[in-house]
């Protein structure tokens, strides 16, 4: 009598369940009230008088809209991603349904004022009169990205026309705060160009960003 032989192949599945508490709209409202209750946006966001505030800045170039060699002016569309820490804007996510970040309007908190030098007409800070959305993380890190159309001077060299190569600098500064208290730092060594749209008349060859101690203020310069 023959017996059929059977071979069994066993698979073992280990199922792991992860349980987490999802935040709800009530948690977001509660968190917003907690952060802004008693918050004064006119107060410089440092814990102690001897502290300094680092602004990490990333320059994003979207387009070169106009370049006038005769007048020596360039117009670009760009934005500055600015990151810093505000000690008054931190919280424990476990107290708010696990929510570890919050989006709010920029007019609700302190934001830095950066000015582009050599602009025609009235000098305004980048993004002035416009409300942007800021992203706040639970450790107090704030990400703010003002931008727009920027018009500044650009010294030109037409000695090799029509094969000239021009270098333009965008100089951003802060006013009224000592350079050892408010420090500008370039987040990367080149501009962000992932969304850059080519100009039909000019080719973007290279970009470089750096922070420079100018004595009375710190300067962030973007080179083309």
């Amino acid at each position: 009598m023959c017996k059929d032989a059977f071979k069994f192949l066993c698979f073992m599945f280990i199922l792991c369940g992860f349980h987490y508490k999802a935040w709800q709209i009530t948690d977001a409202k509660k968190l917003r009230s907690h952060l802004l209750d008693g918050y004064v946006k006119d107060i410089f966001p440092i814990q102690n008088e001897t502290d300094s505030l680092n602004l990490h800045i990333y320059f994003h170039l979207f387009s070169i809209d106009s370049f006038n060699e005769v007048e020596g002016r360039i117009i670009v569309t760009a934005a500055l991603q600015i990151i810093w820490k505000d000690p008054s804007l931190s919280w424990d996510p476990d107290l708010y349904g696990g929510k570890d970040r919050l989006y709010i309007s920029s007019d609700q908190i302190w934001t830095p004022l950066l000015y582009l030098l050599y602009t025609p007409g009235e000098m305004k800070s980048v993004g002035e009169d416009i409300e942007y959305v800021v992203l706040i993380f639970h450790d107090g890190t704030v990400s703010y990205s003002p931008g727009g159309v920027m018009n500044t001077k650009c010294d030109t060299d037409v000695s090799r026309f029509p094969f000239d190569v021009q270098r333009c600098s965008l100089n951003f500064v802060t006013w009224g705060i000592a350079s050892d208290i408010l420090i500008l730092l370039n987040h990367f060594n080149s501009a962000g160009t992932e969304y850059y749209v080519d100009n039909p008349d000019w080719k973007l060859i290279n970009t470089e960003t750096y922070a420079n101690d100018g004595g009375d203020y710190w300067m962030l310069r973007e080179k083309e």
Side-chain angles (χ1 to χ4, degrees):
M1 182 176 179
C2 296
K3 293 185 178 179
D4 294 331
F6 295 94
K7 294 183 179 180
F8 296 92
L9 183 62
C10 297
F11 294 92
M12 180 178 291
F13 294 91
I14 301 177
L15 302 179
C16 299
F18 296 93
H19 301 278
Y20 62 93
K21 184 179 180 182
W23 66 269
Q24 300 177 351
I25 188 64
T26 53
D27 295 311
K29 292 180 179 180
K30 181 181 177 182
L31 174 57
R32 184 183 184 279
S33 297
H34 165 72
L35 294 178
L36 299 182
D37 184 23
Y39 184 92
V40 181
K41 65 180 182 179
D42 296 327
I43 296 180
F44 195 67
I46 53 177
Q47 194 70 47
N48 302 297
E49 184 180 3
T50 56
D51 293 342
S52 60
L53 180 65
N54 292 333
L55 296 183
H56 298 269
I57 302 176
Y58 186 21
F59 182 86
H60 295 267
L61 180 63
F62 302 134
S63 64
I64 298 175
D65 304 326
S66 174
F67 179 50
N68 191 314
E69 292 179 276
V70 177
E71 296 181 1
R73 301 207 68 84
I74 187 171
I75 300 175
V76 303
T77 299
L80 298 174
Q81 182 181 8
I82 311 171
I83 300 173
W84 69 94
K85 274 197 173 183
D86 189 328
S88 298
L89 296 176
S90 61
W91 69 91
D92 182 355
D94 291 337
L95 300 178
Y96 302 93
K99 189 168 182 58
D100 62 353
R101 64 194 65 187
L102 182 70
Y103 292 94
I104 65 173
S105 176
S106 60
D107 66 341
Q108 299 295 307
I109 65 170
W110 180 91
T111 53
L113 300 179
L114 292 178
Y115 298 87
L116 175 62
L117 292 181
Y118 315 120
T119 58
E122 183 180 359
M123 189 173 180
K124 292 186 177 182
S125 62
V126 178
E128 186 173 339
D129 302 327
I130 301 177
E131 292 183 13
Y132 293 88
V133 174
V134 296
L135 173 59
I136 307 173
F137 294 90
H138 68 93
D139 64 350
T141 299
V142 183
S143 179
Y144 168 57
S145 301
V149 177
M150 303 179 184
N151 185 337
T152 187
K153 76 171 186 177
C154 178
D155 296 329
T156 58
D157 179 7
V158 295
S159 60
R160 298 182 59 189
F161 180 85
F163 305 104
D164 50 320
V165 176
Q166 304 296 337
R167 170 174 289 186
C168 297
S169 298
L170 278 71
N171 303 297
F172 298 92
V173 301
T174 61
W175 297 111
I177 302 177
S179 61
D180 59 341
I181 297 178
L182 182 60
I183 303 174
L184 304 187
L185 302 170
N186 57 312
H187 200 56
F188 293 101
N189 293 326
S190 60
T193 56
E194 57 270 30
Y195 301 110
Y196 177 75
V197 178
D198 289 333
N199 182 281
D201 300 318
W202 291 91
K203 179 181 179 181
L204 182 65
I205 299 176
N206 186 38
T207 65
E208 177 187 357
T209 62
Y210 61 91
N212 177 46
D213 185 0
D216 295 331
Y217 52 79
W218 280 70
M219 179 181 296
L220 183 75
R221 174 172 293 177
E222 192 278 331
K223 289 185 177 180
E224 179 192 350

